[in-house]
Amino acid sequence: MAKWGEGDPRWIVEERADATNVNNWHWTERDATAWSSDKLKSLLLGLSVENEEGSCEVTEVSKLEGEASINNRKGKLIFFYEWNMKATWTGKSKAGIKYNGSIEVPNLSDENDTEDLDISIMLNKDEPDTPLVHLMKTRGAEKIREALGSYIELLKTEFTQGMILPTSNGVAKLETASQSKAKFDKTQFQSSSGTAAPIHTGVKIPTCKISLKDTFLTSPADLYRVFLNQEMVQAFTRSAATVEGEKGGKFRLLEGNVFGEFTELVPDEKIVMKWRFNNWPCEHYATITLTFLDRSTETELKVECRGVPNSEEDQTKDGWKRYYFEAIKQTFGYGARLF
């Protein structure tokens, strides 16, 4: 299945800098995964703490899964990183007894501040109790947190050399992906009309209202479930998706290019959500209301989109028709009568 925007000449999915992207002004993307892996290992390995009970040292990084990248869009650097790591620590008491344990950090990402990181430190099974565990859980965890903070700082300074470009005030803007609401999105859009530059929160932009409707050969209950069930969303988008089908639940689909939050759910009747494209002005969401009407042998779906940026009206309308309506009908057979 084509990605959102394919076929619309104003929206092009790219995985490299465009040849016409003079001075990298529109956007570029740089993969920081390999660099990050090496940097994290160098910062963690050999890290040590000591007190009157003995000493502890990080001796191995046994697992480092994740990815990192940096995008330069309109002179603004946006950082994506997500890591799940495990390491081994070795302790030695003043009496010369050695101990071994593990370290786990499952949530190093642009969505979490370093003080919010979960740093789990444990002693291996069958190892005798030792005060060194407390040393690692306090001073050791603090040093690990500092090392991970250093990684983030170096990612934004050392790795970005050559990507930071001057803006109107001579300083490039730095953002994490969570600040731009694009954590899992590694696919970038470029607007050939040049109107998709991010706009800071609080800046009023002209918006419009879009009203759409279509009929589906299924019950309101079944069609309602399509929008809230993660497996069904993944089926009709043909890509990975995250869907928390409850009030206040988040959703992210089409490779992270569409995301938002469910704000009101009336079972089998109505869904209201905050919804946006990844390239829309920062922090700007449209309000989408889906109304499911029982028409005997079929369901009429009414879609009202409020707060859509004027410049995004056409592709938003076309996107809903193609990547929601048509895709749902084709995937679940809700568009053809069987005789």
Side-chain angles (χ1 to χ4, degrees), residues 11 39 43 51 60 103 113 125 257:
W11 292 99
K39 185 62 65 175
L43 289 168
N51 65 6
E60 180 186 7
I103 304 164
D113 293 331
K125 292 181 179 179
N257 295 305

Side-chain angles (χ1 to χ4, degrees), residues 281-326:
C282 295
E283 306 294 341
H284 181 82
Y285 288 79
T287 297
I288 309 291
T289 301
L290 310 181
T291 305
F292 304 82
L293 302 173
D294 192 344
R295 302 301 190 204
S296 186
T297 60
E298 60 189 19
T299 297
E300 180 179 338
L301 175 62
K302 291 186 175 181
V303 179
E304 182 181 272
C305 311
R306 291 181 177 272
V308 174
N310 283 350
S311 60
E312 310 298 320
E313 179 179 3
D314 289 340
Q315 79 273 16
T316 300
K317 185 185 298 183
D318 294 342
W320 267 89
K321 289 179 179 178
R322 181 176 181 183
Y323 298 103
Y324 279 96
F325 295 176
E326 293 179 14

Side-chain angles (χ1 to χ4, degrees), residues 75-115:
K76 179 187 293 184
L77 296 184
I78 303 175
F79 297 81
F80 305 90
Y81 54 91
E82 184 176 19
W83 295 98
N84 179 355
M85 63 188 70
K86 292 183 180 180
T88 299
W89 64 271
T90 299
K92 185 176 181 181
S93 70
K94 292 295 185 180
I97 302 174
K98 291 186 177 182
Y99 302 87
N100 294 291
S102 62
I103 304 164
E104 184 171 359
V105 183
N107 64 334
L108 175 62
S109 78
D110 52 78
E111 286 196 335
N112 299 312
D113 293 331
T114 53
E115 57 265 27

Side-chain angles (χ1 to χ4, degrees), residues 93-240:
S93 70
K94 292 295 185 180
I97 302 174
K98 291 186 177 182
Y99 302 87
N100 294 291
S102 62
I103 304 164
E104 184 171 359
V105 183
N107 64 334
L108 175 62
S109 78
D110 52 78
E111 286 196 335
N112 299 312
D113 293 331
T114 53
E115 57 265 27
D116 296 326
L117 294 176
D118 296 326
I119 301 177
S120 176
I121 295 176
M122 295 171 287
L123 189 66
N124 288 351
K125 292 181 179 179
D126 301 326
E127 291 277 357
D129 290 338
T130 171
L132 295 179
V133 176
H134 178 71
L135 173 63
M136 278 299 294
K137 287 186 174 182
T138 53
R139 292 174 58 189
E142 182 180 348
K143 278 206 167 185
I144 292 169
R145 198 179 304 275
E146 290 174 356
L148 298 179
S150 295
Y151 155 70
I152 297 170
E153 184 63 27
L154 290 169
L155 178 66
K156 295 179 178 181
T157 55
E158 179 180 307
F159 187 79
T160 57
Q161 292 181 13
M163 293 188 74
I164 301 179
L165 301 175
T167 61
S168 58
N169 62 359
V171 180
K173 298 182 177 69
L174 303 181
E175 274 195 2
T176 61
S178 60
Q179 290 170 323
S180 64
K181 298 298 182 185
K183 174 183 174 255
F184 297 114
D185 175 31
K186 299 302 182 288
T187 305
Q188 295 297 307
F189 285 102
Q190 179 183 2
S191 172
S192 61
S193 63
T195 61
I199 299 175
H200 292 297
T201 306
V203 176
K204 292 184 178 180
I205 61 173
T207 63
C208 62
K209 172 185 172 183
I210 298 172
S211 295
L212 303 167
K213 64 179 180 179
D214 205 340
T215 55
F216 297 79
L217 298 178
T218 187
S219 67
D222 285 346
L223 187 58
Y224 176 90
R225 190 162 62 95
V226 167
F227 289 89
L228 300 179
N229 181 282
Q230 180 167 301
E231 291 183 357
M232 298 182 80
V233 171
Q234 291 181 149
F236 78 76
T237 61
R238 299 190 182 181
S239 62

Side-chain angles (χ1 to χ4, degrees), residues 238-255:
R238 299 190 182 181
S239 62
T242 300
V243 180
E244 301 170 354
E246 59 186 10
K247 183 177 180 180
K250 304 292 195 298
F251 60 86
R252 184 176 291 272
L253 53 146
L254 293 168
E255 297 191 354

Side-chain angles (χ1 to χ4, degrees), residues 62-73:
S62 55
K63 175 183 177 181
L64 195 54
E65 295 180 346
E67 57 187 343
S69 66
I70 302 175
N71 285 272
N72 176 1
R73 182 190 295 173

